[in-house]
Amino acid sequence: MSAEPIARLRALRAVTLRSTQCADSGEFYREVWGLQQVEADRGTVWLRGSGDEHHVLQLEQADQNALGKIAFAVATPREVDAAAARLAAHDVPLVTEPGKLDQVGGGYGLRFADPEGRLVELSAEVDAVVPGDPYGRAAVPRKLAHVVLNTVDIDAACEFYTRVLGMRISDWSEHQMAFLRCNADHHVIAFNQAEFASVNHIAYEMNSIDHFMRGIGRLKHNGVTPLWGPGRHGPGSNTFGYFADPAGLVCEYTSEVAQVEEDAWLCRVWRRTPELSDLWGTAGPPSKDVRSHMRGVPDPGYSAWWQS
């Protein structure tokens, strides 16, 4: 009998990015993108959206761009402890044992690596914050929407994240991309088949399509134009506007992400055509420039830099 998934993931909580331009990128995400700085210390910056997560983005100064960590929320410390035992049943070693997390925002959690060396954190009881925009008026990101990762083996990546983490595949874009969910949002993680593992892009959810467009307008006012968009994707039905931060990492504004009703949803395979990648027909197919940015640089994984 196969081991059961390690936990019930409630949400995508935060992402850590290793950046060659941490200071400039921190200013970009704070002054232009619309996130609020929580703390900064020795080449690291923590930023939050207008929602209830302590932070959604952590930037760390590094010699090359890379994924530092993906953090998922679970309900209780007891679920973290249970996840540790189940990881052992899956023969997945721990990088950080269950316990209080020595990091900004605190919490109780653990960390492990996926098969391509990406650091994954499960946490509970992270410090609470007061919503930064309780009436949702500002055109700023509400939360982290999804993380898209380039992978050398999309089938192996999907197998690990479904079998071990209990995620579900919502849709495929042929056999090139897979969209995975852990709650009602159509996807919180997506994998793109590529020649090496790397960060493809990070998406931030706006409250509405009006907030989405006003956010794009603010970036254009600051001299930052979209790499691709605005438009609306087929898989996920979400709006999109892709930009590059000062380090060249791709960030996305999105809104109106499809909501999945578990008992009624049917996973589909979408064809990779311009008409389905952008239902509005406003953005056209992605250019060589945006594809180059999304390709990124080879990411050696946490073992190349992590010190527990």
Side-chain angles (χ1 to χ4, degrees):
M1 182 176 179
S2 61
E4 62 181 309
I6 63 172
R8 179 187 172 191
L9 306 184
R10 305 304 175 110
L12 175 64
R13 170 163 275 158
V15 64
T16 299
L17 295 176
R18 293 173 60 77
S19 170
T20 59
Q21 301 290 330
C22 182
D24 289 344
S25 292
E27 181 179 4
F28 166 80
Y29 285 109
R30 183 178 66 248
E31 303 297 333
V32 181
W33 196 250
L35 299 180
Q36 178 184 346
Q37 184 170 303
V38 178
E39 195 167 330
D41 179 49
R42 293 178 297 178
T44 305
V45 181
W46 293 262
L47 302 116
R48 58 167 297 198
S50 63
D52 57 7
E53 284 293 348
H54 178 273
H55 64 274
V56 298
L57 175 63
Q58 178 181 343
L59 295 172
E60 298 177 342
Q61 181 62 39
D63 293 334
Q64 72 168 62
N65 293 336
L67 179 72
K69 181 181 67 180
I70 309 172
F72 294 98
V74 298
T76 65
R78 180 175 294 179
E79 290 186 20
V80 173
D81 292 338
R86 291 170 183 157
L87 280 166
H90 284 281
D91 297 319
V92 178
L94 293 174
V95 174
T96 301
E97 297 284 340
K100 292 184 178 180
L101 296 171
D102 182 17
Q103 62 183 16
V104 170
Y108 185 95
L110 58 76
R111 301 185 185 101
F112 59 93
D114 76 5
E116 289 181 291
R118 305 179 189 93
L119 195 64
V120 179
E121 177 182 286
L122 306 185
S123 60
E125 296 187 348
V126 172
D127 290 350
V129 295
V130 176
D133 180 26
Y135 299 104
R137 293 170 178 162
V140 298
R142 182 172 69 89
K143 68 174 186 176
L144 196 63
H146 56 260
V147 176
V148 177
L149 302 167
N150 296 321
T151 176
V152 299
D153 189 338
I154 195 168
D155 294 315
C158 289
E159 197 274 340
F160 182 86
Y161 277 75
T162 55
R163 177 177 59 87
V164 178
L165 291 174
M167 303 182 82
R168 285 86 69 199
I169 298 176
S170 297
D171 282 312
W172 288 87
S173 178
E174 297 188 0
H175 196 234
Q176 179 64 39
M177 290 192 72
F179 302 87
L180 285 75
R181 68 186 185 274
C182 68
N183 51 31
D185 291 342
H186 179 269
H187 59 287
V188 297
I189 293 286
F191 289 104
N192 177 61
Q193 181 66 44
E195 59 187 305
F196 50 75
S198 62
V199 177
N200 186 289
H201 71 270
I202 310 298
Y204 302 80
E205 184 176 303
M206 307 294 269
N207 276 332
S208 70
I209 195 168
D210 178 72
H211 292 78
F212 165 80
M213 290 302 297
R214 287 195 287 126
I216 290 176
R218 182 180 63 250
L219 266 74
K220 293 186 74 174
H221 179 76
N222 282 274
V224 184
T225 56
L227 292 172
W228 187 30
R232 183 184 288 278
H233 286 313
S237 190
N238 53 299
T239 62
F240 67 86
Y242 294 93
F243 300 82
D245 72 14
L249 289 161
V250 179
C251 46
E252 176 192 5
Y253 278 158
T254 190
S255 65
E256 299 187 345
V257 178
Q259 298 297 290
V260 171
E261 184 179 347
E262 288 292 341
D263 293 338
W265 187 265
L266 296 176
C267 177
R268 291 182 288 176
V269 179
W270 293 74
R271 292 177 56 217
R272 295 182 64 79
T273 66
E275 296 80 10
L276 295 179
S277 65
D278 174 22
L279 298 177
W280 287 347
T282 54
S287 66
K288 289 183 178 180
D289 184 41
V290 71
R291 289 187 183 278
S292 176
H293 277 85
M294 289 181 172
R295 180 174 181 264
V297 296
D299 188 341
Y302 90 97
S303 61
W305 51 265
W306 174 263
Q307 292 182 352
S308 58

